Amino acid sequence: MVNRLKNKTAIVSGAAQGIGLAIATAFVDEGARVALVDIDGRRGREATSALALRGAEVCFVEADVADSTAVDTMVAQATERLGAPNVLINNAGIVVFRDPLDTTAEDWRHCFAVDLDGVWNCSRAVLPHLLRHGRGDIINIASVHASQIIPKCFPYPVAKHAVIGLTRALAIEYADRDIRVNAISPGYIGTEIVERIFASALDPDKLRAETNALHPVKRIGRPEEIAAAAVFLASDEARFLTAQNIVIDGGRSVVFHQ
């Protein structure tokens, strides 16, 4: 621990597991106060309790990021418990994969309500605090789907492309107020969701080996590798970096044909 985030207060959505929990953990290890936010109350409280046992200054707020009223309440509660936030990590998201013509209005709305509206709801609620601070950071967890199209994944990449547009628009809008807005686009990362996909295959070991082989580095990523990038973006080391999307995929998206 080198306290790169000392005196910072962060809100991390989707923090009960996977990348969100890895980011929350890395932030407290670097000296930040962290409000973990998730729609899964049980897992969120368990994760928060585990961090608190390590001496971290944390709290948990259960909220659905797709509900703007719930988000306003969440930010108010987090502020009351830990102080006004100066870092927001928009990590909460869902996966909706459909054939385009089989995509229902409900499928479309659900995907965008969480993956895009959720990012805006949280950003809108936190931005006034950042403006009062006179500086701050918003970090949106997008996806390689935000820049590359993978067949059979509609409409998820549409929402993630929009997250990059939102990132860039907000970054430029508030750049002269010392508020930085950036995105991180993970590729294959060894989260519980990916592990469940492997486990559901007829031959899990074969699918895992094939997936590893897709990557120039010959493995998939780890949640803590995404968390390390988030720490950097939230630190004072990245003060001149804004409106950017950092792709973390082991080089996979650079490969044209394989």
Side-chain angles (χ1 to χ4, degrees), residues 166-242:
L166 177 60
T167 299
R168 298 176 69 195
L170 289 178
I172 299 307
E173 196 72 30
Y174 294 103
D176 63 351
R177 307 289 291 275
D178 204 17
I179 293 171
R180 300 175 307 132
V181 187
N182 291 291
I184 298 172
S185 284
Y188 277 100
I189 305 298
T191 62
E192 291 185 19
I193 293 173
V194 170
E195 290 300 326
R196 284 199 297 269
I197 292 172
F198 289 151
S200 67
L202 292 176
D203 188 337
D205 290 339
K206 180 181 178 183
L207 179 59
R208 185 186 300 275
E210 290 173 346
T211 303
N212 287 337
L214 287 173
H215 297 76
V217 298
K218 301 307 176 189
R219 67 172 178 86
I220 64 173
R222 297 185 290 270
E224 56 267 29
E225 291 171 319
I226 308 303
V231 167
F232 166 68
L233 288 175
S235 75
D236 290 342
E237 299 161 22
R239 290 311 314 165
F240 198 56
L241 199 162
T242 196

Side-chain angles (χ1 to χ4, degrees), residues 145-166:
H145 288 265
S147 55
Q148 305 294 117
I149 297 299
I150 303 171
K152 311 299 182 184
C153 295
F154 187 88
Y156 181 73
V158 185
K160 289 300 185 178
H161 272 68
V163 168
I164 299 303
L166 177 60

Side-chain angles (χ1 to χ4, degrees), residues 11 13 37 61-79 85 88 90 92 113-114 117-127 129:
I11 292 176
S13 71
V37 178
V61 184
E62 184 175 342
D64 178 358
V65 297
D67 182 337
S68 61
T69 301
V71 168
D72 289 341
T73 301
M74 173 273 289
V75 172
Q77 292 176 349
T79 299
L88 169 65
N90 282 309
V114 179
D117 295 353
V119 175
W120 169 236
N121 289 338
C122 292
S123 298
R124 176 195 51 76
V126 168
L127 270 166
H129 294 288

Side-chain angles (χ1 to χ4, degrees), residues 50-67:
L51 289 175
L53 287 173
R54 296 167 47 178
E57 193 172 351
V58 293
C59 72
F60 173 70
V61 184
E62 184 175 342
D64 178 358
V65 297
D67 182 337

Side-chain angles (χ1 to χ4, degrees), residues 46 135 164 200 221 246 252:
E46 289 175 353
R135 67 186 303 182
I164 299 303
S200 67
I246 299 176
R252 173 60 195 165

Side-chain angles (χ1 to χ4, degrees), residues 5-22:
L5 304 181
K6 186 178 180 180
N7 298 323
K8 292 183 182 288
T9 301
I11 292 176
V12 182
S13 71
Q17 60 179 305
I19 290 171
L21 179 54

